[in-house]
Amino acid sequence: MQFVLAITAVALPGMLFALFQMRHQPKGLYILFFAEMWERFSYYGMRALLIFYLTKHFLFGESQAYGIYGAYTTLVYILPVIGGVLADRYLGQRRAVAIGAVLLVLGHLGMAIEGEPVAPGQSPNEIILNVFYLSLALIIMGVGFLKANISTIVGELYPKTDKRRDGAFTLFYVGINLGSFLGAAWAGFLGETYGWKYGFGLAGVGMLLGLIVFVWGTPWLKGAGESRNPELLARKRFAGLSTQWLIYLGTFVTTILVWLMVRDQEAVGYLLSAAGLVTVAYIYYRSVFTLERHARDRIIAAMFLISIQVLFWALFEQAGSSLNVYTDQQVDRTIFGQEVPASVFQSLNAGYIIYLGPLLAALWVFLAKRGLEPTAPQKFGLGVIQLGLGFLVLVWGANAAGQGNLTPVIFIFLIYLLHTTGELCLSPVGLSAMTRLSVPSMVGLIMGTWFLASGAGNFVAAMIAQATAAEGADGENVVLTVYSYVGWLAVAVGVGLILVSPLINYLMHLNTLSDEAGAGEKKKALTEA
Ligand code: GLU
């Protein structure tokens, strides 16, 4: 209990610091900051418990649990492409976020229905298991509507050339991580100490607060994220149903499909490949046939940055699975005489971000004033290098502790530190870049694709986690061998990225960015829309 209270006490000054820094930003940013904070509170609160819920409540084997965990975290990031396209074409981002928030409240509250713990040798109760999968499906659908679109609305609060833009995304990212920090700590603590349903229930209440903040604060968005084609939304299409109602019907049917799919890692793999191929082909088609040259080049640069996401999250997302289990089983977690539950360490990353985010944003400004700020692709390279170094530091620490001994907890603090500084060089920078590099009619699509790449990363992450759980081997050695390999790989890719960064930067054509309506789109495409 003291530990979670301490975490909350650590978060509060960070929150005040971020709010203070927001005084020069549009008021709408406060709304998006708090709505996304609560959404991430519920997402990460639930996720911190998920792997343990699967292995300790339902008694799934480690590998099967990683499979379900991977299918879930992959699907969660596949659906934002569809959410992004629906928002671009019909709903507008604001309405899409509201729909997503409602689905999320239902999903998280559904997770609180846990039934009796499964006894060793018995199978889980079918009804409870299906309620669990349905809850996962509702969360997946909710994130699909919400996640990319809320980030897009942040971008819509600013003109493309507005200098506050990157800072705004960093502050928004602090909001994301305030939510993850408090969510993982509180839901993790309640769930592991008093019972799963309390942790999951708390996640549901958090999401409800997010929904209330968003709906209440809508006027402050001043029209950002409103549908570009409201008349299309109301148009009757099929059997007397309007586009809007068809979207609701489609949502219902897709929820059922996702409900069936989330238990099948292989099927999710196929869906991911198909979604990836179709999305990439469609984006290139749109870029070649509907965009002017500079706008098209920018999309190519965005796609390059998006591809780096796959590698980044594949390694970074060991946090919730293999690194979480490593911390549980192989780390001496005693701090000031108290054994800290493993899931509480899920908060570290977010905790670091709350304080390091604003500092890093200030560092970029400091460097920019001296003409030394790295370009976005260079920041990506630096991010990937730090990610690799994080793994190498843990491997080194574990080896130094000696075979058969628990790893000192300081190395868990260090790996999360390096992963966090890496993330800050890549993730908020990327969100900001996506909204800038895209044309308005494709911004939801591009943002959705950004998260699709995260989904692919999460899928690969599950395969890496499964490799660390190879059967019949000495657990610790397998984990460390895998971590050492991926660590060096990331360092090599990061260096390569820095080498090709001038070319990517050229493709961004930052000097010809314009906020004019339809800038970058060929005239014919505009009239068609
Ligand atoms: N921590 C980030 C978030 O939840 C991760 C985003 C991503 O996977 O791209 O927003």
Side-chain angles (χ1 to χ4, degrees):
M1 183 71 176
Q2 289 95 320
F3 198 80
V4 229
L5 287 176
I7 279 194
T8 312
V10 168
L12 286 179
M15 182 191 295
L16 293 177
F17 184 37
L19 292 179
F20 178 69
Q21 288 207 321
M22 263 194 264
R23 67 198 184 285
H24 301 307
Q25 305 283 350
K27 284 212 181 74
L29 189 63
Y30 287 97
I31 299 305
L32 301 171
F33 177 97
F34 280 114
E36 180 61 340
M37 180 187 96
W38 284 117
E39 188 267 334
R40 291 287 105 179
F41 178 96
S42 61
Y43 178 76
Y44 284 104
M46 178 281 209
R47 208 193 70 163
L49 287 168
L50 184 57
I51 200 80
F52 300 129
Y53 189 54
L54 288 164
T55 52
K56 295 183 183 177
H57 179 77
F58 286 125
L59 301 192
F60 284 117
E62 227 171 69
S63 184
Q64 196 186 358
Y66 284 150
I68 297 171
Y69 181 94
Y72 164 70
T73 48
T74 307
L75 281 166
V76 137
Y77 285 129
I78 292 180
L79 274 289
V81 179
I82 305 180
V85 173
L86 289 176
D88 277 345
R89 294 189 71 90
Y90 308 111
L91 293 170
Q93 278 77 20
R94 198 220 12 106
R95 195 187 296 253
V97 168
I99 297 172
V102 171
L103 293 170
L104 280 164
V105 172
L106 295 176
H108 283 296
L109 291 177
M111 286 291 298
I113 302 170
E114 66 174 51
E116 293 300 313
V118 176
Q122 304 259 299
S123 321
N125 174 309
E126 277 300 312
I127 298 179
I128 296 293
L129 195 57
N130 278 300
V131 169
F132 163 69
Y133 286 131
L134 181 63
S135 308
L136 291 186
L138 286 165
I139 296 173
I140 290 163
M141 295 298 291
V143 174
F145 273 109
L146 188 144
K147 183 70 171 132
N149 290 321
I150 198 164
S151 310
T152 303
I153 305 179
V154 177
E156 287 206 5
L157 295 175
Y158 303 86
K160 288 205 169 179
T161 44
D162 194 317
K163 298 237 172 347
R164 297 171 301 170
R165 197 181 179 83
D166 281 12
F169 269 100
T170 307
L171 291 170
F172 177 70
Y173 213 76
V174 172
I176 286 178
N177 286 281
L178 269 166
S180 338
F181 188 57
L182 295 170
W186 277 102
F189 166 70
L190 287 185
E192 282 201 272
T193 315
Y194 295 105
W196 310 107
K197 60 174 176 263
Y198 297 105
F200 293 136
L202 182 72
V205 171
M207 190 56 236
L208 187 61
L209 291 173
L211 174 61
I212 292 170
V213 169
F214 188 73
V215 172
W216 171 77
T218 295
W220 283 14
L221 298 179
K222 298 214 158 72
E226 287 306 328
S227 172
R228 298 164 67 234
N229 305 307
E231 67 291 350
L232 276 187
L233 201 56
R235 190 182 291 170
K236 296 267 184 286
R237 298 237 166 211
F238 176 74
L241 290 174
S242 64
T243 314
Q244 188 168 359
W245 277 101
L246 282 175
I247 291 174
Y248 295 150
L249 192 65
T251 303
F252 178 77
V253 174
T254 315
T255 308
I256 305 288
L257 292 176
V258 170
W259 174 58
L260 296 172
M261 212 167 205
V262 68
R263 50 195 101 188
D264 188 345
Q265 188 188 11
E266 209 181 320
V268 172
Y270 290 124
L271 179 73
L272 178 68
S273 315
L277 281 176
V278 171
T279 308
V280 171
Y282 179 65
I283 289 175
Y284 279 111
Y285 161 80
R286 285 278 302 265
S287 311
V288 170
F289 291 104
T290 69
L291 299 184
E292 304 284 3
R293 189 172 72 85
H294 280 194
R296 188 188 58 215
D297 284 356
R298 283 189 203 109
I299 299 283
I300 293 172
M303 293 300 275
F304 179 82
L305 296 180
I306 285 173
S307 67
I308 304 303
Q309 283 257 96
V310 181
L311 173 83
F312 186 87
W313 297 106
L315 306 193
F316 182 97
E317 290 296 352
Q318 295 309 304
S321 55
S322 72
L323 189 53
N324 206 0
V325 172
Y326 183 87
T327 311
D328 193 39
Q329 295 174 353
Q330 322 243 18
V331 172
D332 177 4
R333 289 178 277 106
T334 314
I335 300 178
F336 299 126
Q338 279 206 11
E339 175 149 291
V340 180
S343 57
V344 172
F345 289 90
Q346 295 294 301
S347 293
L348 270 180
N349 160 251
Y352 285 138
I353 287 187
I354 296 168
Y355 287 92
L356 295 178
L359 283 184
L360 216 71
L363 176 70
W364 299 144
V365 175
F366 175 84
L367 291 175
K369 283 194 184 138
R370 287 154 187 77
L372 293 171
E373 186 187 8
T375 59
Q378 284 170 338
K379 288 178 185 167
F380 268 55
L382 291 171
V384 177
I385 290 175
Q386 290 166 83
L387 178 73
L389 290 178
F391 283 113
L392 297 177
V393 164
L394 177 67
V395 172
W396 180 79
N399 287 337
Q403 181 82 6
N405 293 329
L406 291 177
T407 306
V409 75
I410 179 74
F411 293 100
I412 295 299
F413 280 91
L414 282 176
I415 182 173
Y416 280 117
L417 178 63
L418 282 159
H419 283 191
T420 304
T421 47
E423 180 186 1
L424 279 169
C425 289
L426 182 134
S427 199
V429 176
L431 290 176
S432 171
M434 292 307 114
T435 56
R436 258 166 114 200
L437 296 176
S438 178
V439 291
S441 67
M442 286 173 73
V443 64
L445 170 66
I446 294 293
M447 195 57 104
T449 310
W450 170 262
F451 287 108
L452 177 65
S454 281
N458 276 285
F459 188 79
V460 181
M463 298 198 306
I464 296 175
Q466 281 169 329
T468 66
E471 269 171 39
D474 167 350
E476 182 170 19
N477 279 336
V478 176
V479 177
L480 294 180
T481 311
V482 172
Y483 281 5
S484 163
Y485 175 76
V486 296
W488 283 114
L489 178 77
V491 171
V493 170
V495 171
L497 254 167
I498 292 180
L499 294 178
V500 299
S501 60
L503 172 66
I504 309 303
N505 206 47
Y506 165 76
L507 289 175
M508 292 182 168
H509 302 294
L510 295 179
N511 50 340
T512 59
L513 271 179
S514 157
D515 283 304
E516 268 172 51
E521 303 199 47
K522 288 182 182 162
K523 290 227 162 37
K524 185 166 158 290
L526 270 182
T527 21
E528 274 169 7

